[in-house]
Each structure stands twice: as C-alpha cells, then as structure tokens.
Amino acid sequence: MILANCLFRSGGCAILLTNKRSLRHRCIFKLKTLVRTHHGGKDESYGCCIQKEDEQGRLGFHLAKNLPKAATRAFVDNLREISPKILPVRELVRFVAVYSMRKLKGLRGKPPVINFKTGVEHFCIHTGGKAVIDGIGASLELSEHDLEPARMTLHRWGNTSASSLWYVLGYMEAKRRLKRGDRVLMISFGAGFKCNSCVWEVMRESGSGSGCGATVWDDCIQSYPPNSLANPFMAKYGWINNEDPATFVLPE
C-alpha cells in the first residue's frame, strides 16, 4: 500500500474531437482505429491495481505482485486485436510463416516479433515508470529514438497516468518529428486491469513555429534530451534502500 500522491503526479489533458467533415482542414490528427482491452472480469486482474483502505483504515493504492503478469496479459491481447487493423498483410504473413516454421521444427529461444514499424512511424507509450517503458520497448523491439519521447516525459513530468500519452505526443510535436501522413500508435494501461491502444494519422505538421498551436514543452524543449537521466535524489537519499527496515518501526 502506498499513498496515491507518491505514485502519481498531478497531470491532466484535454483534446477536442469532431466528426464534422467541414472542419477537416483544421484537424491535426485523424483517429484511424481504437482497441480497448478490459480484464475486469478476472479477479486477479481487477485486484492487482486498486485504491482501497488498509487494515488500519488508511486510504491508499494497492499494487499486487501479479501486476506485471496482468499487464502483460492485457498488452498481448490488445496487440493481437489491433495488429490486423494497422499492419500490412505482408508483415502478418511473414510473422505467421516464421512462427509456424519454428513450431514445426521445435525450435526454442526468443520467439519471433511482429515489426510494428511496418504499420506506424511513431510510438506514444504510457509513462508508468522506467520498467513500463523498457518492457514495451523490448517487446516491440523499439529503438532509443522511439522511446525518447516517453523517457523525456517521465523525466520532466513524472507519472501522470493515462494523460501522459498527450505529454509524449506533445514532445513529438515540439521536436517537429510528426510529418503529414505519419501514423502514431498510442498504448496505455490502467486499473481494471485494462490496456488501450489507438492509431492517429497526422493530417498536418504541428509544433513550435508551425502555426498549429503551442505545446506544453515549448519553454523547455531546447534542453531535452539532457546529458543524463540520473535521479539526483538517489545520490542523496539512495542509502535508505540499504537500511534495516526495523530502523523505521516506531516504538509502541
């Protein structure tokens, strides 16, 4: 059990959506597809990440040890559903052929991975922590360039839960990475347990100096990425991790 304000920072976002064709020329992004995976029907998934009171009646956030397992299950199910909607047929055929061949030959080791870069150019990853970013990056075989927006968002704004996706997208806009016709894959996680993903198509370039509005990064984007992502507080207070837990028990 931990206090919610020790896990999440204060953050929020707002977007304006429309289905009016007359406003198409003003849109920056177009929603191509969206997939929502919710495992609330499974007890272990529902209870792995939930706000509740402890034995002493203190309200806090409970993270169970099976959280990574529940997150992985939701992530895999979500990708299985969205992949046919966003990837070219040739990539799906290649993956099935390689997977079937390895299974027939009884080969072991690292399983084949679908190349999502054949269907999208950019990745907006939920910044739930360094482990989350590293895990998704390893699963999708993403480069450090792909993961940079998520890492910088975590460094600058912290874990703002699902709203972090728009901070990540804002970083891409401020860095002028998004070009017309590019596709952006968003992946987020949340209590429930759920995994949501969607793909946006860039309708026109945006960011500083483009005439498409400012971003939350405008006042600091020139200093990113920094030379080091080391946490300065770890150097000063990291010793606490090596202390005997009994040291912090208050006498009755």
Side-chain angles (χ1 to χ4, degrees):
M1 298 288 293
I2 61 176
L3 297 177
N5 60 355
C6 290
L7 177 65
F8 300 116
R9 291 195 62 183
S10 178
C13 63
I15 59 173
L16 180 63
L17 298 173
T18 180
N19 58 1
K20 293 185 177 180
R21 292 185 178 274
S22 60
L23 298 177
R24 186 172 183 174
H25 68 285
R26 301 182 60 183
C27 295
I28 301 177
F29 301 100
K30 177 181 180 181
L31 181 62
K32 301 292 292 184
T33 186
L34 183 148
V35 173
R36 185 171 188 265
T37 302
H38 198 294
H39 286 175
K42 301 177 181 179
D43 289 342
E44 60 177 6
S45 295
Y46 177 78
C48 71
C49 180
I50 189 171
Q51 186 180 32
K52 65 179 184 179
E53 293 182 351
D54 62 9
E55 294 80 0
Q56 298 178 341
R58 296 191 181 96
L59 185 65
F61 214 81
H62 171 70
L63 299 178
K65 293 182 178 179
N66 67 324
L67 174 59
K69 181 179 179 181
T72 300
R73 187 187 300 114
F75 183 46
V76 171
D77 288 351
N78 187 276
L79 291 183
R80 184 181 293 117
E81 184 173 348
I82 198 173
S83 295
K85 301 174 186 261
I86 64 176
L87 297 179
V89 176
R90 66 178 185 278
E91 175 59 22
L92 298 175
V93 172
R94 182 201 67 81
F95 174 78
V96 172
V98 173
Y99 180 84
S100 301
M101 188 66 66
R102 288 175 58 88
K103 192 172 183 179
L104 290 174
K105 293 183 178 181
L107 298 177
R108 297 184 178 181
K110 186 178 180 181
V113 178
I114 292 182
N115 184 8
F116 276 85
K117 293 183 181 181
T118 60
V120 295
E121 288 77 29
H122 310 280
F123 299 85
C124 267
I125 300 174
H126 181 104
T127 60
K130 183 178 182 298
V132 174
I133 299 174
D134 290 343
I136 296 178
S139 299
L140 302 183
E141 294 190 344
L142 303 181
S143 65
E144 279 303 314
H145 178 77
D146 298 322
L147 299 177
E148 180 185 309
R151 293 196 193 281
M152 298 307 109
T153 298
L154 182 63
H155 180 270
R156 174 64 181 85
W157 307 103
N159 178 8
T160 58
S161 192
S163 67
S164 66
L165 291 174
W166 301 100
Y167 289 78
V168 177
L169 187 65
Y171 183 89
M172 297 179 184
E173 292 181 277
K175 284 292 187 180
R176 306 298 297 275
R177 288 190 177 192
L178 305 179
K179 307 300 180 183
R180 184 174 182 178
D182 285 357
R183 290 151 297 180
V184 183
L185 173 62
M186 280 186 169
I187 304 173
S188 67
F189 300 90
F193 194 87
K194 58 183 173 287
C195 176
N196 301 327
S197 63
C198 65
V199 172
W200 298 91
E201 180 183 348
V202 181
M203 303 301 291
R204 57 176 175 151
E205 295 184 19
S206 57
S208 301
S210 66
C212 294
T215 76
V216 70
W217 290 91
D218 286 350
D219 64 339
C220 61
I221 192 63
Q222 298 302 327
S223 60
Y224 279 88
N227 295 327
S228 173
L229 295 179
N231 187 342
F233 292 98
M234 287 301 295
K236 189 173 182 179
Y237 303 107
W239 56 269
I240 200 171
N241 294 321
N242 301 321
E243 286 292 306
D244 183 356
T247 305
F248 308 101
V249 177
L250 297 177
E252 296 182 0

